[in-house]
Each structure stands twice: as structure tokens, then as C-alpha cells.
Amino acid sequence: MFEWVIILFLGTGLLYGLQSRRLQRRNISSPMMMVITGALIALPLGIWHEAPLAPFADRIHFATGFSEMTLAIILFLDSAVLDYRKEKPAIRLANRLLLIGLPLTIGVTWAFIIGLHPSIGILPALILALIASPTDAALGRPVLENKSVPDPIRQGINIESGLNDGLVLPIFTAVVLLEADLVGEGSNNWLTEAIIEISVGAGVGLLAGYVIGQIVNHAVTTNTILDRFERLLGVLSALFIFFLSEKLGGNGFVAAFAGGLALNIFSEKVRETIESFGEAESELLTMLTFFIFGLVVIPAVYQLWTWEMLIFSIVSLAILRPLCVWICMIGSPYSLAEKLYVGWFGPRGIASVIYLLIMITMIDPKGYESLIAAAVMIVAISVTAHGLSAAPLSNMLVRHLAKKGARS
């Protein structure tokens, strides 16, 4: 049966790829397609009929393994390909979103969760806020691909989504370790453990990333590397740094993110090759993660969904994030329409799913059913809402700016 599940996943990916241009014109994204496919395949397997959280019992490590590699590659590539010299307007926007908007979103979401459901607890509420705050621009791919949308906005959203999961991760790790310690599942030295994991991860990542970057620069200068191997550099480097850090007792995700920042490859051609081929390879793993999300994660928690969780998801996506973005963009040269556009396109996707899976492997999910179910619901709604709205709202913004420019 497992082989048939893999065959159906690969067949769906192949079908979507062959019809991707047509499907995206109909506002059907690859994450939407994979979640739906996974959910449909779960029906004959009986996963939908299992008790709440039961599907996690035998499948969580399988799901987490692929997902962890996906996040490591994404973290590395997002930080490695950023060019501060060429994207200054976008960097200024991303700085506002990351340094003001992100902490504000986490804090406001945390307070809203506690107000909506006081019994959840302060730390679990913070964990949920941290899971629900990082964004995933891949869920709104037409936003990034529509060249008529002002470049600073497109690239600012892309940079924000590329860096915010790496910035949130150390805080998330520390908070989960603290919660594990408080419920008796940790090592009673959560702070020391968190500091060691994060610092070792950052140190390994920075050192390994710098060394790999220098080796690549030397190989390019001396012309010792074949073009086809340039395509593998990003993925190989990301996974090498991730697993090396984990082996040395560090946090592999922090290492991957730091390694990308330290890479510093001089050749523009190699950078573009790493970005283009790395995106294609990480797209496959992303599709697998969303397939698992539909196959295992949603069936494991849907029976636990409540109206409170629906309210939280809608308010978080449609009110809290846009409000915090509007606040952080006060004084910027962008119009209200552009601010609302940036505020809406903060999809919750791959990082939220993987943070959730990581938490489940660190803490017994029993007792955290509401947290897990709420996190799954907000991702499920975001996959659908942002996938369907990306192209139409991008076109609306372009028309609005064109009319505004014509009037002026």
C-alpha cells in the first residue's frame, strides 16, 4: 500500500507540473493540489476514521523526516540568494516587516489566543502564535511571478517569507524546550539546552557556510567545477550543514539558515544557478510535505476543530497580520492598497507545518490537542484562501495602481 501512496503522489506531481500554467491561471496552486490529493488518498486507507491524533502514532517520524529536510533547504536557499546590493527598496520594506511587523504580529496573536481561549495556557498560546506567524510566499506564487506588481512589494514579501521562519526558529525552539521541561518531558535544563542548540547550530552554520562559499569561489575561479554540479551546490550544502550541526549537538535549522547567510558566493551565475535549481528541488519536497499534510495531519485533527479555532484562523489571517503590517508601514511611501496587499499576503504554510511536526516530536501531543488542531486549521485555510486569491488580488492591485498613475 505504501508503494501505491508514493506512486499516486508522484503521479499527481507529474500531472500538476504538466498542467501547471493552466492550473495556476485557474488559481489552483501546487500546495492546494497536493493537500487535496493527500486527503482523498487518506479516505480508502481509513485514516479519516481513526481516533483524533492516532494517525500521528506510526507516521509522525516519516512525515517529520522529509519535512525537516525541506525546511533546511528552504532556510539555506532563502538566506543564501539574498543580494543586499540589488534589492535596497525591497530590503527596506522587508526590514519593516521583519523587525517591527513580525514581533508585533507574534505579540498580538499571542494576546488574542489567550483572550479567546484562556485555558490554553501562556506558553502553549505563545507556541501557537509562533507557529502561526511565519509566512510562506510559495502559497501565493502568482504574487512573486506577476512582474506588473511593483518590484519592491514582490521582493519585500519574498524576502520577508524567506527570513522570518529562520528568525522565529530560535525563539520557538527555546519556548518548546521550556514547555517540555515544565511538563516533565525535558531535561530540566531547558535554558542551557536551548542556548547550546542555538549557539552550536549558528556556529556550525556560519563556519561551514563560509568555508563552502570560499571553496566554491576558488573552484569557479580555477574552473574546476562542471556546470551540472553547480546545480547541486545549494541542496548538498544545505543538507550537509543541517546534518553536521545535528550530529554535533546543534540545531540543524539554525545552522542551515546561518550557513546560507555566510555563503557569500561571488559569481552571479553560480548564485542564479543555485537559486533556480534549488527552488526546483525544494519544490518537490514542499509538494511532498503538503501531500503528507493532507494525508496524515488534517485527518488526525479535523474532529477536534471548533468555532473558536475558525475565529482564530480568520482573525489571524484577515485582521491581525494586516493590522500589524499597516502599523509597521506607517511613514512608508506605499499607498493604503499596497499596505493591505502586503498585509494579506502573509500565508501560513511550510514553516508552520514543520514547526508543528517538530513540536509533536518534542512533546507528547496529548494535552495539546487544541493547539495542534488550531495550527492545522489556519494552514489549511491559508493554503486555500491565499492560493485562490493570489492572482485576482495581484491583478486588482495592478489595475488600481495603473488608474492612480493615470489620474496623477
Side-chain angles (χ1 to χ4, degrees), residues 152-173:
I153 291 179
R154 288 190 302 109
Q155 294 303 323
I157 292 173
N158 193 31
I159 294 168
E160 177 205 12
S161 69
L163 299 182
N164 60 15
D165 41 11
L167 296 176
V168 169
L169 184 61
I171 303 171
F172 174 77
T173 300

Side-chain angles (χ1 to χ4, degrees), residues 27-345:
N27 305 318
I28 300 174
S29 66
S30 61
M32 288 172 60
M33 184 80 164
M34 302 317 295
V35 170
I36 292 171
T37 302
L40 290 175
I41 293 173
L43 284 171
L45 296 179
I47 299 176
W48 285 92
H49 303 297
E50 295 181 21
L53 302 184
F56 287 143
D58 299 323
R59 305 177 182 98
I60 187 62
H61 294 292
F62 163 76
T64 306
F66 285 104
S67 301
E68 286 181 343
M69 289 191 292
T70 302
L71 184 58
I73 293 170
I74 291 173
L75 288 170
F76 180 85
L77 292 175
D78 285 340
S79 58
V81 301
L82 183 61
D83 191 339
Y84 292 93
R85 297 165 296 178
K86 295 175 61 177
E87 300 169 342
K88 288 184 179 179
I91 291 291
R92 286 195 290 269
L93 173 58
N95 283 340
R96 285 176 176 265
L97 296 173
L98 292 169
L99 301 179
I100 302 173
L102 178 60
L104 191 58
T105 300
I106 293 171
V108 170
T109 304
W110 185 16
F112 181 78
I113 294 168
I114 294 175
L116 183 65
H117 191 55
S119 63
I120 191 173
I122 293 177
L123 279 183
L126 179 56
I127 291 173
L128 179 55
L130 291 168
I131 290 173
S133 294
T135 59
D136 181 3
L139 294 184
R141 182 65 66 181
V143 173
L144 306 181
E145 296 175 347
N146 190 334
K147 302 298 182 182
S148 298
V149 175
D151 191 64
I153 291 179
R154 288 190 302 109
Q155 294 303 323
I157 292 173
N158 193 31
I159 294 168
E160 177 205 12
S161 69
L163 299 182
N164 60 15
D165 41 11
L167 296 176
V168 169
L169 184 61
I171 303 171
F172 174 77
T173 300
V175 174
V176 172
L177 287 172
L178 173 57
E179 178 66 14
D181 181 53
L182 292 177
V183 298
E185 296 183 30
S187 61
N188 298 320
N189 293 303
W190 72 271
L191 182 58
T192 302
E193 187 176 346
I195 292 173
I196 290 174
E197 276 197 25
I198 294 167
S199 57
V200 171
V204 170
L206 290 172
L207 179 60
Y210 175 79
V211 171
I212 290 172
Q214 295 305 304
I215 293 173
V216 171
N217 289 332
H218 178 73
V220 172
T221 302
T222 57
N223 197 28
T224 61
I225 182 172
L226 293 171
D227 289 347
R228 65 176 179 271
F229 285 101
E230 292 178 2
R231 304 168 188 173
L232 298 174
L233 286 175
V235 172
L236 290 176
S237 300
L239 295 178
F240 172 79
I241 293 172
F242 173 78
F243 286 112
L244 177 63
S245 175
E246 291 283 317
K247 187 65 176 178
L248 296 177
N251 186 293
F253 301 113
V254 173
F257 183 71
L261 291 174
L263 195 63
N264 195 27
I265 292 176
F266 300 145
S267 170
E268 186 69 23
K269 172 179 171 292
V270 175
R271 287 167 57 89
E272 291 177 355
T273 300
I274 289 175
E275 180 177 12
S276 61
F277 284 90
E279 283 184 351
E281 289 152 339
S282 62
E283 177 76 13
L284 176 61
L285 290 174
T286 297
M287 291 170 67
L288 179 57
T289 298
F290 280 110
F291 177 78
I292 293 170
F293 182 72
L295 178 72
V296 176
V297 179
I298 292 179
V301 302
Y302 80 98
Q303 300 175 61
L304 303 172
W305 284 346
T306 65
W307 285 105
E308 284 181 322
M309 296 173 192
L310 181 61
I311 292 170
F312 161 69
S313 299
I314 294 173
V315 170
S316 177
L317 293 170
I319 299 177
L320 300 185
R321 151 82 184 188
L323 175 63
C324 293
V325 167
W326 178 79
I327 291 173
C328 81
M329 292 180 71
I330 291 175
S332 69
Y334 301 99
S335 66
L336 177 60
E338 291 170 312
K339 292 174 183 176
L340 292 175
Y341 181 84
V342 174
W344 169 244
F345 282 108

